[in-house]
Amino acid sequence: MSNLNIENVLSKLGIAKKNESVCTGTQWITAIGSEKVSILSPVDGNKIAEITLAGTTEYEKAISEAQSAFVQWKKLPPPKRGEIVRQIGNRLREYKDELGTLVSYEMGKSIEEGRGEVQEMIDICDFAAGLSRQLYGLTIASERKDHIMMEQWHPLGIIGIITAFNFPVAVWSWNAMLAAVCGNVCIWKPSEKTPLSAVAVQNILRSVLINNNIPEGVFNLILGDFRIGEKMAKDTRIALISATGSTKMGKRVAQIVAGRLGRSLLELGGNNALIITDDADMQNALKAAVFGAVGTAGQRCTSIRRLIIQNTVYDKFLPKLIRIYKQLNIGNPLVESNHVGPLIDKNAVENYKNAIAEAENAGGKILYGNKVLKGKEYESGCYVVPTLIEAKNHFKIVQEETFAPITYIMKYNTLNEAIAMQNDVKQGLSSAIFTNNIKEAQIFISNAGSDCGIANVNIGTSGAEIGGAFGGEKETGGGRESGSDSWKAYMRRQTNTINYGEDIPLAQGIKFEI
Ligand code: NAD
């Protein structure tokens, strides 16, 4: 059990005020008379706090705070911006336990995963602080005498960040820390299911802004549902919308933003598969399969949804897998010995039940699970047993992402067949193969292999490191966040030509007398 009492955690994170809706760095604005929403914990069903959703007044205030902050923030040299981000990372280190506990209590992921999520925030702060000294462009050879050409990167302006419930804080930081060192200001709309973790983050970074005399509104927070999200998507004052969530949401946001020729960065649903060959290290494959399928109760965008197992090892692998599933401790995620916590809410439990029923109707065979847990420990009604179903890849339900611990099991003969099955879904986020055969491994990551944004060998589909670019293809949206050169999405490219000669040669050899 986390040794932190929830009341103390809430008070330390400044969640005592229960009716706030917008924060622009150093100042809260109360939305009087707007809609109020109670936030319930999926862990025990208790009300944690009440929030007031932002209305048009608060939204406009956040936009104007962001606009004026941008004028000053973009003028700070990037390494100075990096220094602010470094200090935010340090503040997060101080609050890691408290914030990790709140994430676990509000979202339902295990306490280790809650703390791990805060660690990802700290890591991206370190990464972004270093990046602030490396926002490099190019110089290009010019065809004209005494000219140079170069490429520079400039900030875009306001970045709108819409996040999903399953990573209530880390996904914001992947965007916001990069966007900030690039010279942008942010407006964050967290999931309406996990707004308190976002409020806590805002409270944590506020002191850094105050201590450094940084303008209000570099980091803004708006609490609201899809209506505020759509308002942001339509708003021409927001240069880039970075939206993380379901493919349904992404398609809507993409259309709206494209309609105004704005930019969007989309991180959407996955339907991730793990291929297990007969050359795999079976112990490691088992560990990866279980962790990838039941971690965060199957509510990761990178969760393993499909296990594609070679027919020669299928009958050996399955009983071992089921044996481990039987040993899983399901219960309060704040208790460290529990492996699986609750789903986010009762709707998610309905989706779990419906998906299992649909798979069964399509001809699937339930191998384990299919149970909603009842009793005092499971009072919130959100605890379910991770489920294994023997199924076919073409089943409609297998083709969809169900955000729950349901794993479909399939058999294959040849590697080509396994890769074809792995690729034969609309989503393209993460994928993995377990094999000690170097040829199989190489084929899997070649252009004849996985079509996903992430393709791993001898490691599962989840747990991406922030140093790599994160994102997926096809209906996953094509966006890339976090490491590598993802920072370029938050900047505009400018090509400069400079003439340091005595003459001005005109393009295409045109001449005229003056
Ligand atoms: P969701 O789509 O219901 O909501 C995500 C966010 O979008 C919320 O803040 C929500 O208020 C907002 N939103 C919803 N409709 C909108 C609209 N029409 N316009 C603007 N904003 C809108 O998703 P969720 O249930 O919170 O999260 C689960 C989904 O997120 C899964 O599909 C998962 O795979 C995906 N996800 C993807 C990644 C990734 O990096 N690819 C990471 C985390 C989660």
Side-chain angles (χ1 to χ4, degrees):
M1 182 78 151
S2 160
N3 51 13
L4 297 172
N5 167 294
I6 289 296
E7 289 305 316
N8 293 345
V9 166
L10 292 177
S11 120
K12 190 144 182 226
L13 294 172
I15 312 284
K17 288 187 186 175
K18 294 186 176 170
N19 298 320
E20 313 293 352
S21 64
V22 179
C23 179
T24 52
T26 56
Q27 181 188 341
W28 287 90
I29 304 152
T30 307
I32 298 160
S34 298
E35 262 174 85
K36 293 190 189 321
V37 178
S38 291
I39 304 303
L40 309 181
S41 166
V43 174
D44 53 17
N46 289 339
K47 175 173 164 180
I48 315 175
E50 189 174 85
I51 57 155
T52 308
L53 300 186
T56 303
T57 314
E58 295 77 30
Y59 179 79
E60 286 302 322
K61 174 82 175 151
I63 290 276
S64 75
E65 292 281 348
Q67 282 177 321
S68 64
F70 181 54
V71 176
Q72 292 182 47
W73 181 248
K74 71 177 175 185
K75 286 190 193 144
L76 268 190
K80 294 251 172 353
R81 302 195 289 248
E83 168 57 19
I84 302 301
V85 165
R86 192 187 66 78
Q87 290 182 30
I88 291 173
N90 284 346
R91 289 293 281 166
L92 288 166
R93 283 181 172 90
E94 285 169 36
Y95 284 91
K96 183 174 169 183
D97 276 351
E98 287 80 5
L99 185 57
T101 303
L102 176 59
V103 165
S104 170
Y105 188 57
E106 189 182 28
M107 185 273 158
K109 63 176 62 179
S110 76
I111 180 78
E112 288 97 331
E113 289 174 323
R115 290 189 201 113
E117 185 167 343
V118 182
Q119 185 58 47
E120 283 186 25
M121 302 175 82
I122 294 166
D123 293 344
I124 198 75
C125 287
D126 288 349
F127 179 93
L131 175 70
S132 70
R133 292 182 182 270
Q134 299 177 65
L135 300 169
Y136 51 83
L138 295 172
T139 54
I140 301 149
S142 172
E143 66 185 23
R144 287 171 280 201
K145 182 171 177 288
D146 296 337
H147 282 57
I148 56 167
M149 283 172 73
M150 63 184 190
E151 215 172 68
Q152 294 191 87
W153 294 87
H154 296 308
L156 288 172
I158 303 177
I159 311 297
I161 304 171
I162 298 173
T163 54
F165 79 85
N166 65 327
F167 277 90
V169 290
V171 168
W172 166 81
S173 66
W174 294 355
N175 284 280
M177 295 304 107
L178 257 54
V181 295
C182 291
N184 303 288
V185 296
C186 305
I187 297 182
W188 179 15
K189 192 208 85 58
S191 166
E192 59 276 28
K193 294 174 188 169
T194 52
L196 301 174
S197 300
V199 172
V201 169
Q202 196 78 2
N203 286 342
I204 289 169
L205 64 82
R206 179 192 273 172
S207 62
V208 175
L209 301 181
I210 295 170
N211 293 345
N212 289 278
N213 228 356
I214 295 299
E216 287 180 34
V218 171
F219 299 106
N220 301 275
L221 176 66
I222 287 273
L223 303 186
D225 56 20
F226 75 97
R227 289 165 295 179
I228 285 285
E230 291 206 359
K231 213 174 175 48
M232 290 167 73
K234 286 176 190 153
D235 196 330
T236 50
R237 295 167 294 182
I238 300 185
L240 169 72
I241 294 284
S242 173
T244 301
S246 58
T247 295
K248 180 170 171 247
M249 176 279 290
K251 284 184 175 171
R252 175 91 184 119
V253 166
Q255 277 179 14
I256 299 174
V257 178
R260 62 173 171 92
L261 297 183
R263 295 186 189 200
S264 54
L265 191 170
L266 301 171
E267 297 281 354
L268 312 174
N271 192 347
N272 318 295
L274 176 65
I275 298 174
I276 297 171
T277 69
D278 60 9
D279 247 322
D281 176 318
M282 286 301 156
Q283 290 306 318
N284 287 348
L286 271 169
K287 267 193 225 161
V290 177
F291 175 74
V294 310
T296 325
Q299 298 171 108
R300 286 181 179 219
C301 50
T302 52
S303 291
I304 294 171
R305 310 266 170 231
R306 298 174 294 143
L307 273 181
I308 305 174
I309 308 172
Q310 193 155 20
N311 53 2
T312 40
V313 284
Y314 192 86
D315 292 333
K316 265 192 267 167
F317 191 83
L318 271 193
K320 288 185 183 158
L321 185 66
I322 293 170
R323 200 160 61 234
I324 301 179
Y325 264 61
K326 285 183 180 162
Q327 290 164 20
L328 291 172
N329 297 330
I330 306 165
N332 187 332
L334 296 168
V335 176
E336 280 172 5
S337 56
N338 282 334
H339 304 111
V340 184
L343 292 177
I344 184 69
D345 54 24
K346 288 186 181 152
N347 266 346
V349 174
E350 284 309 302
N351 292 342
Y352 161 89
K353 291 197 301 198
N354 292 340
I356 295 171
E358 200 178 324
E360 213 177 7
N361 285 341
K365 183 174 158 205
I366 299 171
L367 301 174
Y368 185 76
N370 186 23
K371 193 170 175 191
V372 179
L373 293 168
K374 302 216 166 15
K376 185 125 188 61
E377 199 190 337
Y378 309 117
E379 223 164 9
S380 69
C382 298
Y383 292 84
V384 301
V385 178
T387 298
L388 298 169
I389 305 178
E390 212 165 25
K392 299 277 183 231
N393 202 49
H394 66 263
F395 289 178
K396 185 168 168 290
I397 191 68
V398 175
Q399 293 279 316
E400 289 167 14
E401 177 196 49
T402 303
F403 226 48
I406 301 172
T407 311
Y408 302 109
I409 320 268
M410 301 157 216
K411 217 182 251 189
Y412 79 89
N413 289 310
T414 65
L415 183 63
N416 281 347
E417 198 187 314
I419 290 172
M421 280 163 83
Q422 126 75 35
N423 289 344
D424 190 18
V425 288
K426 289 185 190 148
Q427 309 82 349
L429 181 52
S430 189
S431 59
I433 190 169
F434 268 77
T435 180
N436 285 329
N437 179 322
I438 193 168
K439 284 189 184 171
E440 285 187 328
Q442 193 56 49
I443 289 169
F444 183 71
I445 59 167
S446 76
N447 66 11
S450 165
D451 64 0
C452 291
I454 298 167
N456 295 336
V457 177
N458 294 334
I459 183 165
T461 53
S462 57
E465 283 185 41
I466 58 102
F470 180 87
E473 304 299 334
K474 304 194 290 187
E475 286 200 352
T476 303
R480 291 296 185 278
E481 277 173 4
S482 193
S484 185
D485 64 351
S486 303
W487 60 270
K488 289 180 177 169
Y490 305 88
M491 302 202 91
R492 63 187 168 86
R493 184 196 310 245
Q494 187 178 68
T495 306
N496 311 118
T497 307
I498 300 152
N499 175 3
Y500 59 91
E502 302 300 325
D503 202 5
I504 177 159
L506 300 178
Q508 285 122 24
I510 292 170
K511 293 191 178 97
F512 59 89
E513 297 298 322
I514 296 198

